[in-house]
Amino acid sequence: CALPISFGLGTFPAMLALGSSRVLFPVVLRQRLSVVAGVLVVVFGAITVLRGVGGEILAHHHHVHPH
């Protein structure tokens, strides 16, 4: 229970600083960064799913049979 709390307390200042720094960038740049961040989340999510599904497919179709 202490580990998640300490992790949250440790990351909170960085998250707060990052969120506060948004005002330093022009609106157009913030919008583009938001789009890029969204695309990256979708891409990394798809890679994660495909790696999981790919591992299952490979496990079922590529059995090694000794001769």
Side-chain angles (χ1 to χ4, degrees):
C1 184
L3 187 60
I5 292 171
S6 60
F7 178 78
L9 290 175
T11 57
F12 182 72
M15 299 280 284
L16 187 63
L18 187 62
S20 299
S21 68
R22 283 181 56 103
V23 297
L24 301 175
F25 299 106
V27 174
V28 174
L29 182 60
R30 282 187 291 193
Q31 290 172 341
R32 287 192 179 166
L33 288 174
S34 291
V35 170
V36 169
V39 169
L40 286 174
V41 166
V42 170
V43 168
F44 287 128
I47 289 171
T48 302
V49 168
L50 290 174
R51 288 176 72 187
V53 171
E56 289 295 319
I57 291 171
L58 290 175
H60 292 294
H61 292 290
H62 294 285
H63 296 287
V64 177
H65 299 288
H67 295 284

